[in-house]
């Protein structure tokens, strides 16, 4: 089994790219750490039960428990498979824990793919998002505008911006991402495992570049 780590800032399009890759290749599996955590809690696996305890106390789930969930997942997979890890690791400490989990499962870390997108583009992408509070439809003022400005095409409700998507909040989220992830990028670069891919342009072009980086 092979492991590929997906790295990219909020708004870099990691999730979209991963979905496209998985749809085109049955040996690829997209593993978002958030989904993994929710699933383990729901199924009440030993790691899930432990994680739930931390969550109920309002505490962060320790890195080792997330790594255990990834290990459990790897052990449950038969045959040829490449896991695209999304959301873990985010820090060098997590990367070191993950290394041990991967070795313990007899798997191999292929590379870390970084979707590179300039800050101005990230801010524009995220700050342009609008959502319908009534039916949940999503829009973007530039890339996917509603027919009438500020109004939901589907149900006619007034569109809103999520608090997290305000330009100021976005800048803070990017600053947090950078302070955590820059050392992680250097960590993989130092081991010759970093593949940098330009995350701009048409989605098809981005997906093609990521495929080339994985080949
Ligand atoms: Zn609506």
């Amino acid at each position: 089994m092979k492991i590929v780590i997906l790295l990219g800032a909020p708004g870099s399009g990691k999730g979209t790219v991963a979905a496209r890759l998985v749809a085109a290749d049955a040996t690829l599996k997209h593993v978002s750490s958030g989904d993994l955590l929710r699933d383990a809690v729901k199924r009440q696996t030993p790691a899930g039960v432990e994680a739930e305890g931390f969550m109920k106390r309002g505490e962060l789930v320790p890195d080792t428990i997330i790594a255990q969930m990834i290990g459990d997942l790897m052990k449950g997979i038969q045959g040829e498979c490449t896991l695209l890890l999304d959301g873990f690791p985010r820090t060098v400490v997590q990367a070191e824990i993950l290394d041990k989990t991967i070795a313990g499962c007899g798997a191999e870390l292929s590379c870390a793919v970084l979707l590179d997108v300039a800050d101005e583009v990230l801010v524009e992408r995220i700050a342009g998002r609008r959502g319908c509070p009534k039916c949940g439809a999503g829009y973007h003022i530039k890339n996917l505008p509603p027919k009438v400005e500020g109004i939901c095409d589907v149900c006619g409700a007034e569109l809103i911006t999520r608090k997290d998507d305000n330009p100021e909040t976005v800048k803070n989220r990017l600053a947090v991402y950078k302070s955590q992830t820059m050392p992680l990028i250097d960590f993989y670069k130092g081991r010759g495992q970093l593949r940098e891919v330009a995350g701009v342009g048409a989605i098809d072009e981005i997906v093609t570049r990521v495929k080339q980086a994985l080949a």
Side-chain angles (χ1 to χ4, degrees):
M1 185 178 324
K2 287 181 179 159
I3 311 293
V4 170
I5 292 157
L6 296 177
L7 298 174
S12 63
K14 265 185 310 178
T16 309
V17 169
R20 291 286 293 262
L21 291 171
V22 169
D25 184 343
T27 66
L28 291 179
K29 190 171 163 58
H30 179 211
V31 182
S32 125
S33 54
D35 291 345
L36 192 65
L37 180 62
R38 276 184 289 276
D39 181 62
V41 170
K42 197 173 148 201
R43 292 193 295 117
Q44 293 284 294
T45 64
V49 171
E50 229 182 312
E52 196 176 28
F54 285 97
M55 288 154 75
K56 278 188 178 153
R57 293 193 295 274
E59 295 167 22
L60 276 179
V61 178
D63 298 339
T64 47
I65 295 181
I66 304 287
Q68 194 188 330
M69 290 172 186
I70 295 171
D72 289 346
L73 177 76
M74 286 196 262
K75 282 172 198 152
I77 293 174
Q78 315 271 316
E80 196 191 336
C81 180
T82 299
L83 295 187
L84 303 172
L85 285 189
D86 180 358
F88 191 96
R90 277 186 214 271
T91 64
V92 172
V93 171
Q94 291 178 350
E96 286 166 347
I97 294 170
L98 180 67
D99 275 346
K100 290 191 190 118
T101 307
I102 292 173
C105 292
E108 186 196 337
L109 177 64
S110 298
C111 61
V113 175
L114 171 65
L115 270 188
D116 215 356
V117 181
D119 280 6
E120 312 86 77
V121 178
L122 292 171
V123 172
E124 191 189 277
R125 276 188 196 168
I126 302 176
R129 289 178 189 162
R130 297 290 180 270
C132 175
K134 209 171 150 194
C135 75
Y139 300 90
H140 190 279
I141 53 170
K142 201 173 149 197
N143 304 331
L144 189 63
K147 290 192 187 100
V148 180
E149 194 185 321
I151 301 294
C152 179
D153 289 350
V154 182
C155 72
E158 204 166 320
L159 300 177
I160 54 163
T161 308
R162 284 197 322 157
K163 246 190 212 157
D164 265 10
D165 292 348
N166 285 325
E168 273 318 300
T169 318
V170 173
K171 280 176 195 158
N172 286 333
R173 284 165 67 194
L174 290 180
V176 170
Y177 163 80
K178 279 193 182 167
S179 67
Q180 285 189 335
T181 312
M182 282 308 180
L184 183 62
I185 290 169
D186 288 339
F187 175 81
Y188 288 121
K189 196 183 259 178
R191 300 204 307 199
Q193 289 176 314
L194 188 73
R195 310 278 180 271
E196 293 179 69
V197 173
V200 289
I203 179 74
D204 286 336
E205 293 167 17
I206 301 172
V207 170
T208 302
R209 279 182 221 130
V210 173
K211 277 185 189 161
Q212 284 163 350
L214 293 179

